[in-house]
């Protein structure tokens, strides 16, 4: 079952085309990694899915429904407001920066959205949040404020916070790019466990080892287009596009 599908998605900033006719499908329980050079449009594509960027044209389908259709910077059709909010909540997102509330503890950061958005009772939200902290290996950090956590710990709290909304799939926008090298591994371990649990994941990443090991499919983007997509063994061992080969030679 497909959870995400885009057709001819384009995004322009004035005269600059950032996304150009992006067609991509992500199926349930699939892990898709998007790789490519800086400025390729990878993060913009992720942000377009959850409406942090509004596409110029194209169609976005979420969970089998036509979520949004735009042409010439105008909305042609969109699901009703109730469905719009419901489908947005099906997307969990983890950003490059952690965006934790500095005046809230790790536990409180995770509890906020379930209480205020999903209207879950406080004791239920706390139970869920403590379980998620355990899942990301931070049981003993529940009462710590972000300033007392390492970057890797903060990002793991951010992952737990996204999971607290019980999304159907997760979007990761270069989740390790802000971390010191020695802290990257602890975040990738959490993401691997999440993939193993069956979570559908769309991951923009520079971590080629993670993409090779965890992804079902790797998508190479450059200059606002999908230049190539294939299983990881194929794309890393025998890329068909010269631009993919050039990129991989420069990063591996």
């Amino acid at each position: 079952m497909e959870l995400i599908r885009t057709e001819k998605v384009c995004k322009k900033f004035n005269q600059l085309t950032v996304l150009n006719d992006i067609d991509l499908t992500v199926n349930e329980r699939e892990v898709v990694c998007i790789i490519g050079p800086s400025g390729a449009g990878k993060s913009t594509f992720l942000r377009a899915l959850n409406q942090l960027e509004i596409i110029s044209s194209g169609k976005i389908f979420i969970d089998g429904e036509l979520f949004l259709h735009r042409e010439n910077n105008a909305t042609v059709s969109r699901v009703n407001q109730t469905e719009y909010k419901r489908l947005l909540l099906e997307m969990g997102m983890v950003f490059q920066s952690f965006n934790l509330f500095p005046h809230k503890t790790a536990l409180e950061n995770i509890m906020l959205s379930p209480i205020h958005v999903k209207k879950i009772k406080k004791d239920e939200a706390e139970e869920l949040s403590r379980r998620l902290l355990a899942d990301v290996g931070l049981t003993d950090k529940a009462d710590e404020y972000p300033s007392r956590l390492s970057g890797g710990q903060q990002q793991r709290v951010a992952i737990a916070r996204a999971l607290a909304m019980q999304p159907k799939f997760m979007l990761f926008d270069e989740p390790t790019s802000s971390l010191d090298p020695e802290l990257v591994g602890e975040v990738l371990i959490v993401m691997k466990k999440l993939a193993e649990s069956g979570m559908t994941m769309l991951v923009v990443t520079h971590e080629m080892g993670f993409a090779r090991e965890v992804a079902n499919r790797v998508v190479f983007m450059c200059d606002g287009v999908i230049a190539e997509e294939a299983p990881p063994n194929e794309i890393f061992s025998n890329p068909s596009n010269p631009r993919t080969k050039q990129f991989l030679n420069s990063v591996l």
Side-chain angles (χ1 to χ4, degrees):
M1 177 181 172
E2 66 180 35
L3 288 186
I4 305 167
R5 176 159 56 95
T6 65
E7 294 181 358
K8 305 294 183 184
V9 161
C10 297
K11 174 64 180 179
K12 293 184 178 182
F13 293 104
N14 297 319
Q15 299 304 310
L16 177 64
T17 299
V18 181
L19 299 174
N20 191 7
D21 286 349
I22 301 295
D23 294 337
L24 183 68
T25 299
V26 180
N27 296 311
E28 191 173 15
R29 301 179 71 86
E30 191 174 27
V31 178
V32 176
C33 286
I34 303 178
I35 64 172
S38 297
K42 308 182 299 295
S43 294
T44 301
F45 178 64
L46 241 60
R47 291 169 63 85
L49 293 175
N50 71 355
Q51 303 296 280
L52 293 174
E53 299 283 357
I54 303 300
I55 60 175
S56 303
S57 61
K59 296 178 181 179
I60 299 174
F61 296 82
I62 302 295
D63 204 7
E65 292 189 56
L66 178 57
F67 179 63
L68 178 67
H69 178 197
R70 282 174 60 83
E71 298 296 339
N72 300 315
N73 287 312
T75 299
V76 176
S77 63
R78 196 191 80 171
V79 291
N80 64 49
Q81 191 65 19
T82 301
E83 278 294 280
Y84 182 79
K85 290 179 179 178
R86 182 186 71 80
L87 291 172
L88 277 180
L89 291 177
E90 290 189 356
M91 313 179 211
M93 186 154 184
V94 177
F95 300 88
Q96 297 177 33
S97 54
F98 323 123
N99 298 327
L100 300 178
F101 290 108
H103 61 291
K104 300 285 187 182
T105 65
L107 181 66
E108 290 168 340
N109 265 281
I110 300 169
M111 289 173 59
L112 274 174
S113 291
I115 290 172
H116 294 289
V117 178
K118 299 197 83 171
K119 308 302 181 184
I120 294 175
K121 293 179 180 177
K122 186 176 180 180
D123 57 343
E124 293 176 8
E126 181 174 347
E127 181 182 351
L128 170 65
S129 299
R130 289 190 183 279
R131 187 167 73 246
L132 289 169
L133 276 173
D135 289 345
V136 299
L138 292 173
T139 302
D140 59 336
K141 302 296 183 182
D143 298 322
E144 296 286 2
Y145 290 90
S147 62
R148 294 181 57 84
L149 299 175
S150 71
Q153 290 169 339
Q154 289 185 61
Q155 191 62 294
R156 284 188 279 159
V157 172
I159 293 172
R161 179 182 58 186
L163 292 172
M165 294 299 288
Q166 300 174 304
K168 280 196 173 181
F169 59 88
M170 290 282 287
L171 308 174
F172 290 88
D173 184 12
E174 299 186 17
T176 60
S177 64
S178 296
L179 300 178
D180 292 333
E182 67 268 22
L183 300 177
V184 169
E186 65 189 60
V187 174
L188 294 182
I189 287 170
V190 169
M191 292 174 64
K192 287 176 187 176
K193 288 180 179 177
L194 194 56
E196 290 166 0
S197 75
M199 174 61 76
T200 306
M201 297 164 60
L202 182 57
V203 185
V204 170
T205 185
H206 291 298
E207 300 295 335
M208 298 301 131
F210 175 85
R212 187 194 293 266
E213 181 182 349
V214 179
N216 302 105
R217 200 157 26 104
V218 176
V219 174
F220 174 71
M221 284 184 69
C222 66
D223 302 323
V225 301
I226 293 178
E228 184 172 358
E229 63 175 293
N233 286 342
E234 185 177 327
I235 210 163
F236 286 110
S237 302
N238 189 31
S240 61
N241 188 294
R243 186 67 182 86
T244 312
K245 188 176 295 186
Q246 179 187 9
F247 172 77
L248 291 174
N249 285 339
S250 70
V251 300
L252 293 178

